[in-house]
Amino acid sequence: MDIELVAVIVEEYDPAIRFFVDALGFDLVEDSPSLTNDGRPKRWVVVRPLGATTGILLARADGEEQAAAVGNQFAGRVGLFLRVDDFDAAYARMTAAGVEFVTEPRREPYGRLAVFLDIAGNRWDLLGPT
């Protein structure tokens, strides 16, 4: 078994693609026209960290309930974890690209970490080796 995709609800596709590709360095795996369950147009947009098997489905909010969840998918907790081999390089590149970090880098028993916000406002851990 493998988790193929995790959905992140975003306001709009193109700014989300730019954030994940340009600021985080993800690959744009797919950007295809699609339809909602009731036949309205949407896009199927998947981004993925380089070399990873699990991707992020960027899902544009559809309706008030989904719009209310943008940036709060994990009720204010860290909900996604991005592991990198070179923490210092990733932190510097992301900071230079304008990624908002809400904590300073620190060491934990499981590695170095700093919490950042994605384009929607969801909290992520940037994780690196100790």
Side-chain angles (χ1 to χ4, degrees), residues 28-48:
L28 176 60
V29 177
E30 186 172 358
D31 184 355
S32 303
S34 188
L35 297 174
T36 62
N37 290 335
D38 60 0
R40 290 175 290 119
K42 68 175 186 175
R43 287 160 63 185
W44 183 262
V45 178
V46 177
V47 294
R48 186 176 14 226

